[in-house]
Amino acid sequence: MLLKKGAVALSLLFLSQGLMAAQQGEGTLTLAERTLEFSNATPAVGANLTTDPARSCVEGALPCDQYALGVALPDDLTDYFPAAQVKIYMDATGPTGQDDIDLYLLDADGNQLQSSGNFQSPEFISFLADGGSKNFIVEVQLYIALGATYNLNISLDLGEANPEFTELEVSEWLADNGASFSRSDELLASCQAPGVTVLTDAEGDGGLTLVPYPGTDLLQADIYQTTDADGAPEIVITLKVDDLSSPLPQSVYFVSFQTYYGDVRGVRMEVDSEGTASFWSYLVGEDSDGDREGHFVESAKPARAASHYTADGLITWHVSPDDLVLLLPGDTLSGFNAGATSFVGVEGAGISFNNDAMPDGLARQGEFEYLAAEDCMASSRSRVIGAEALSGRGGALGWFLVMLGMLQLARRR
């Protein structure tokens, strides 16, 4: 049973505050490198139950890990992206399901700025990313760790650009400051296939027990938003599997994620004993440890009729944004994972197999932001016309190509 936080005071508080845990990693967020990922090299074991506000971390006694985080951004960042944020997300999984690992943000001198101390993961911290260069310490405290593996995802979320600037001005500012992408490219990835890649996995690590079997190896998951044939908004999620030319009977493929509003949702393809597939969106249910890793269903709703799979291993779900609790622009889905499972036997008497998990161990990662319809339309128009032509850098040739494209579109109507 987990101890309630705040109820334990240790006699170890006399230990020196200066003997901090060793640094485990480092990285710097910039416009060019907007995501950093860290994880513990070996499963974490230990207990740090101190209630000291300074959270004494003494290696070998009060265990914690520390990561040196630098944030180096243009001084005028908030002029262009006033809502830019640094987001720190941590999830942990362990063999007992009882691990409790907390997250702290410290300044460069070790003073606590923020904390996230849920009874169990995930943990999340965010703060506004103003311009300039700053250094922080991201601290992972092993409140109760019983063999857990944790993953840290630290990202720079620019948010919406200042509407006082045109999209072209924003793109040029990004390019001038070393960004390897334009804002329109970033938006476009969310608005057309193949979409934003949220998960990848090594090839050849799936299979029933240790025997490779076609259709049990997960490779990649992507997500994007679009509209259906009637113009209604929809979310498309794809899961790439090694082979589905002959789907394994009594098998399930799922992608699950955490919603902006706190619950865990997902999409799944279920293959019955006859090999017939059905497609669902669902509210993820708890397992015997109280976790919501994606295997179990609390409630489900059929996905849209366009959902399907192909023999080469691509599963595609079409679902309403509302079914994934994407209610407003700016709502996010985060902490993705995916799994492939199968069942051998009859109901009440059989064996379940976890054929593959993505990422390994069903740790969660990745994020997708739901955009306003006009943002998707604007980014598409920008790509069709071409920012270079609009800026005048393409000269008369650029305008000629634009006009030629418009004439070709008119002839096809």
Side-chain angles (χ1 to χ4, degrees), residues 16 54 59 68 75 137 139 147 202 211 276 284-285 292 294 298 306 319 338 386 402:
S16 168
E59 194 165 5
D75 291 334
I137 299 170
E139 188 171 273
V211 180
T276 301
V284 175
R292 298 177 185 269
E298 184 169 319
V319 295
V402 172

Side-chain angles (χ1 to χ4, degrees), residues 336-356:
F336 289 79
N337 68 13
T341 66
S342 59
F343 180 78
V344 178
V346 296
E347 187 174 355
I351 302 175
S352 292
F353 295 92
N354 293 323
N355 301 324
D356 197 8

Side-chain angles (χ1 to χ4, degrees), residues 244-259:
L244 285 174
S245 55
S246 181
L248 189 66
Q250 301 188 98
S251 61
V252 172
Y253 300 85
F254 69 82
V255 179
S256 77
F257 35 80
Q258 293 158 330
T259 75

